Amino acid sequence: MFRSGPFHILARTLAAGVAGVLTIAATTSAVSAKPGPESHGDTAIPGLVPKPLQVTAKGGADFTLTEDTRIVVRGAERAAAEEVGELLATTLRPATGFELPVVATQPSGRDIVLSIDPDADYGAAEGNPEAYRLSSSSARVRVTGATRQGLFDGTQTLRQLLPAFAGSDVRVNADWRVPAVAILDAPRFGYRGIMLDVARSFLEVDEVRKVIDAASAAKLSVLHLHLADDQGWRIEITNSGRAAGDDIDYTALTRVSGATAVLGNPYQSADGHTGYYTQDDYRDLIDYAAEREVEIIPEIDIPGHTNAALAAIPQLNTAGSSHPATEAEPTAPHNGSIDVGYSYLDPGSEATYTFIEHVFGQLAAMTPSDYLHVGGDESHAMTQRYGHEGYVEFVERAVGIVHGLGKRTIGWNEYAETVLEPGDGVQYWAGATDHAKRAVAEDGAKLLVSPGNMSYLDMKYHPKTPIGLSWACSGDCDVQHYYDWSPQEVVPGVGDEDILGTEAPLWSETVRGVEQAEFMIFPRALAHGEVGWTAESLRSPADFADRLASVGTRLAIAGTNFYDGPQIPWSTALAGTDATASAGGSTDIAVGQLAAPGTKAAEDGTEVAVDSVDDADSTGGSSLTGPLTAVVDFGDGSAPVPARFAAEVPRGALDAAGVYAVTAPHAYAAPGTYRGTVTASDGTVAAFTVTVSGD
């Protein structure tokens, strides 16, 4: 669970004094990393996102992960540290092929040591519950967190210090080295979130898990799930525990409106995906996210955006609602358009509040978070009919119901027109700031910062982006636009001490499936996340671009889609892969993998180069200054031959360049074990082994 408090002020205040010790560079990951101007010791420090509070290059030899490395958990909270250790081991085992046992014992050479110690010295981050220290040397790596979350954050930094292919789901050959560094880190805000609109277009459980994996690796701490809107209802509500006299069949919410979604529209021809989460599904997502230190906050938007509820529940279709029941239409018809503001619940009907108490009661029982999101935005038709006072009276009663369930509320900034309680959240997205400022000053509410023009992830990157909207941001809405802003300037007079955190929402009017969702989320959510993590005095767009360059290879290798556009000089990474072959006839042998975001392969596969053609998929970005080629030495004394590159997913209008398979044709004359190399034209080298049988 994210933790709010005064710690972000301390981190921000002290950061200016430690800025000089930060030494971070984007590099090309390969089997053999060459020291350069930004290198310290054997290996350059990779780009770290979000930027830590302090990074000090220690010099000396690197730490190398080997088959003998263990993950050793120490300290009083060993069970929690062991959980974090198992997550780290599970991530690293496929790529390295190492066992990486998680043990509670005395550490020895080449171990990774994890511990939770709230009493350790965290210097400038003292008092921050997510504080952690990471120290690496040739002997071992040690990560210490003030809490489980701090320790988890530290292990995500450790993952970024390893070569990019450490995130591969298949075994590759690389020198698994960690540069000798000392890192002290903690976030500016405890709440660093993204939102998924699964109401308009559904995402399956495994798809949401995939987003959680990528988000948690970037230290994002909150996933806001928008579970209900006009187009669909995505969370199972049962009839268990209905109040006396309540005859509403809540199972109709998913039976009827779980089968509906947004329809094709001028911005996206395909209809939205349908479906819903059972309560077991939801609990599974809660647990999965919590293991990765991501807190799920659910939203049921009221009183507007409620046509899906009206379509399923006859008792809500009263004369005072947006759809008074008739004999022909006892419930509201499905509306799959992208219109907003037309639907509303009846503020004068007791059935409305019975419905709210039951639905939010079940959500509260399933949700560990202190918060439930009540929406409250765009109630235009309701306000026209009942006036401003009618809207405010409704929200006051609904908020009171949620408070009565033992939860705090978050709502879009329109709901701040009512009286809130200390600790409630106001999510500012657009419009006048007066009500949000009043709620903070008078009610003790906290501001959740999501200015649409710098936070909404469903905006087109550029006019050619095939999906997305442009009402909040048009023209250049690439990653730097989502980085170069200040949370404390969104609502004038509301500073860090009254800011809950930052959130980047993804609305799904035009988004279908997780690949498209990832494309719109990343890398912009990484920029937004750093705004929430890193002290303002340590941030600069140019430095961020340099660091983000090496994160693109990690996204590609992890199978996370993203926009690999021209603002970032994306790095490349090369690794060898072992293979088997039969002696005799020539065959194509896969001997390596290349991650090179922003590029395309030549038609004959002999080279990879930055995509410089401004066509439907726009141009890409890359650190390559010319075409990349490679030669393969198969280790049997034969002359090296040119390699060929084939992308698993070619770069396209909605796809980043996927990882390239590196292959070459060869015929081994005799059985045996052969050790070869792939040498790229930029000087990087990857090793592989081919086991040749006599068959």
Side-chain angles (χ1 to χ4, degrees), residues 239-494:
N239 292 327
S240 176
R242 286 187 296 185
D246 182 3
D247 62 352
I248 295 175
D249 180 9
Y250 294 93
T251 65
L253 288 165
T254 48
R255 186 172 63 251
V256 174
S257 293
T260 60
V262 69
L263 300 177
N265 55 69
Y267 309 96
Q268 164 66 271
S269 59
D271 291 344
H273 298 178
T274 61
Y276 66 91
Y277 307 118
T278 67
Q279 294 196 357
D280 285 344
D281 289 337
Y282 180 73
R283 292 187 184 96
D284 174 75
L285 284 173
I286 291 281
D287 292 344
Y288 188 87
E291 289 174 353
R292 290 151 184 82
E293 294 296 343
V294 173
E295 179 175 342
I296 289 181
I297 296 178
E299 178 187 358
I300 302 295
D301 203 344
I302 53 173
H305 292 275
T306 47
N307 197 68
L310 290 160
I313 307 299
Q315 292 89 333
L316 297 179
N317 292 256
T318 56
S321 73
S322 58
H323 182 267
T326 65
E327 186 174 349
E329 281 188 346
T331 57
H334 170 58
N335 186 338
S337 74
I338 59 174
D339 295 339
V340 298
Y342 64 88
S343 65
Y344 55 89
L345 300 176
D346 182 352
S349 170
E350 286 305 308
T352 294
Y353 302 103
T354 298
F355 174 82
I356 291 171
E357 185 145 16
H358 185 83
V359 168
F360 279 92
Q362 290 204 356
L363 269 183
M366 293 187 289
T367 304
S369 172
D370 291 337
Y371 289 97
L372 297 181
H373 202 301
V374 299
D377 60 316
E378 297 179 318
S379 297
H380 307 316
M382 179 183 186
T383 303
Q384 288 173 2
R385 181 171 179 181
Y386 293 101
H388 173 74
E389 297 77 11
Y391 168 81
V392 170
E393 288 173 3
F394 174 94
V395 173
E396 283 183 349
R397 186 165 175 186
V399 166
I401 289 171
V402 176
H403 288 156
L405 296 168
K407 298 290 186 180
R408 293 173 175 170
T409 60
I410 297 177
W412 302 102
N413 50 269
E414 293 95 320
Y415 107 126
E417 298 180 46
T418 190
V419 176
L420 301 176
E421 289 187 356
D424 285 342
V426 177
Q427 186 165 11
Y428 178 82
W429 67 284
T433 61
D434 296 352
H435 295 300
K437 187 173 181 178
R438 183 214 60 78
V440 170
E442 298 179 12
D443 300 341
K446 297 294 184 181
L447 184 69
L448 178 56
V449 188
S450 300
N453 62 333
M454 291 170 288
S455 302
Y456 274 29
L457 300 173
D458 53 306
M459 297 296 105
K460 292 176 177 288
Y461 284 95
H462 52 80
K464 292 183 180 179
T465 307
I467 60 175
L469 303 174
S470 56
W471 65 267
C473 180
S474 60
D476 180 7
C477 305
D478 204 343
V479 60
Q480 289 288 19
H481 182 81
Y482 286 71
Y483 184 81
D484 195 12
W485 64 283
S486 300
Q488 77 278 6
E489 295 177 1
V490 173
V491 176
V494 177

Side-chain angles (χ1 to χ4, degrees), residues 48 98-99 107 140 142 187 220 249 262 315 393 446 493 579 592:
L48 301 177
F98 301 152
E99 183 180 353
R140 65 177 56 96
R142 186 179 297 275
L220 295 171
D249 180 9
V262 69
Q315 292 89 333
E393 288 173 3
K446 297 294 184 181

Side-chain angles (χ1 to χ4, degrees), residues 121-209:
D121 179 9
Y122 295 104
E126 194 70 36
N128 190 316
E130 288 189 66
Y132 71 89
R133 284 191 178 274
L134 186 154
S135 179
S136 57
S137 66
S138 59
R140 65 177 56 96
V141 173
R142 186 179 297 275
V143 185
T144 304
T147 61
R148 184 190 188 279
Q149 187 171 9
L151 179 62
F152 179 85
D153 291 339
T155 62
Q156 302 317 297
T157 299
L158 174 57
R159 289 177 59 191
Q160 288 193 15
L161 290 169
L162 283 160
F165 271 98
S168 174
D169 61 0
V170 297
R171 187 181 178 279
V172 297
N173 299 318
D175 290 337
W176 303 113
R177 296 191 293 179
V178 176
V181 295
I183 296 174
L184 171 66
D185 199 12
R188 177 180 181 182
F189 301 117
Y191 189 125
R192 306 170 303 279
I194 57 173
M195 188 206 79
L196 292 178
D197 171 15
V198 296
R200 289 179 174 86
S201 188
F202 185 61
L203 291 174
E204 301 287 345
V205 169
D206 286 346
E207 293 180 305
V208 177
R209 284 182 173 182

